[in-house]
Every structure is written in structure tokens, then in C-alpha cells.
Amino acid sequence: MPLPPAQHDFISVPLSHKGTAVFGHRGDISGEADARTIVIELKEHAVPPLANTSGYLDAYDRPHIVKLLENDKVIVWSYRWNLGEPTPMHFHSKDVVIVYEEDTALKSTMPDGNNVLNEYKFADTRFNRRNRTHAELLVRDTGSAMITELK
């Protein structure tokens, strides 16, 4: 069955093609019929980024990340965590949508030293609000994700 035209601009993340994403416009078809795809609809309600006054690095750009696309609505990154290699402590100035491309176990550590273990499964999709500061550590196996920063 064919997919309907999209009601909004969107980011399409095909789950069968790791490390890829496509920007589409309202009226485009957001993916292939019968293909597993995460579609992130981009509403016409922009939330401006926060100024980074945290004293920490911006969340992106960082080692092991590839910028796939950028326009006036989004920046899309492909990222791979390396086992035992923490990210620097960083600040998220923008809201993000993360699509996990494989099972991923991340320990998130806040500036006060508190931490939490987050376990994600293949295709899990999360919306994270801006104004967060933390470092991440992959604690087992592998981990990768498509990260869409909303402008």
C-alpha cells in the first residue's frame, strides 16, 4: 500500500540503512511502503536554541560524529559511541530527536556526579529537551544513533 503525502516537512530515518537520513518537504512521500522507517515531522513551531553559558562544550560537533545535513530547520548527525570512551561533558542548546540504530547501553553523568544507566533498543526513538548538561559512556557492546537537532 502506498504511503500518503507528508503533512509537514520531515526527516526520514530508514532503519535498514544505518547512518542515513533524508530531509523531505510537505507533500513528499516519507519512505518506502513496507520499509521500517522513523519519520520525524517538523512542525512550524521553531524553538530557538539557548545560549551556552554552562562553561561546557556544545553537544555537537564531537569526535566520531558525522554531519549528514543541515538546513534552516534541523541539523542531522550520525554518531557512534566507542566502548569505554566517554564523551566530554557537554551542553545541549537545542531540542533533539534520537533514533537508536542498535541496542545501546549508556551511562549518563551529570556535572554533580550523579549518573543513570539508560538502555535503548534498536529503533527506540527519544525526544530530549534542550538545557541539559551531561557526559555519556557506552558501557557494553556497541552503540549508534541518528541525532536530529531541531532549530
Side-chain angles (χ1 to χ4, degrees):
M1 170 176 261
L3 297 172
Q7 297 297 307
H8 303 276
D9 289 351
F10 62 89
I11 298 296
S12 177
V13 180
L15 297 176
S16 60
H17 297 90
K18 272 188 187 180
T20 62
V22 175
F23 177 81
H25 294 281
R26 179 182 181 174
D28 292 347
I29 303 300
S30 59
E32 297 177 22
D34 300 322
R36 292 188 64 192
T37 302
I38 303 294
V39 178
I40 304 164
E41 286 193 5
L42 305 172
K43 307 291 178 148
E44 297 302 322
H45 174 71
V47 176
L50 296 174
N52 183 356
T53 60
S54 70
Y56 295 105
L57 299 171
D58 289 329
Y60 313 105
D61 195 9
R62 63 169 85 159
H64 314 297
I65 199 163
V66 176
K67 185 189 290 186
L68 298 178
L69 65 96
E70 180 173 8
N71 60 32
D72 62 331
K73 294 186 177 201
V74 297
I75 305 172
V76 180
W77 306 93
S78 175
Y79 186 67
R80 171 164 293 289
W81 290 268
N82 288 320
L83 187 61
E85 183 183 330
T87 66
M89 187 69 66
H90 57 269
F91 176 76
H92 290 270
S93 63
K94 299 175 191 74
D95 294 339
V96 298
V97 178
I98 303 174
V99 178
Y100 291 89
E101 296 184 308
E102 55 195 318
D103 295 353
T104 303
L106 293 174
K107 181 173 81 170
S108 182
T109 302
M110 281 51 81
D112 64 7
N114 286 325
N115 61 64
V116 62
L117 179 63
N118 297 297
E119 305 236 13
Y120 304 103
K121 298 291 182 195
F122 169 74
D124 279 354
T125 303
R126 298 288 186 267
F127 172 79
N128 293 329
R129 293 199 179 277
R130 64 195 183 145
N131 201 20
R132 296 177 305 110
T133 302
H134 66 130
E136 301 157 334
L137 176 67
L138 181 69
V139 297
R140 69 174 173 275
D141 302 323
T142 59
S144 62
M146 299 299 301
I147 301 168
T148 300
E149 286 188 288
L150 306 173
K151 290 184 173 182

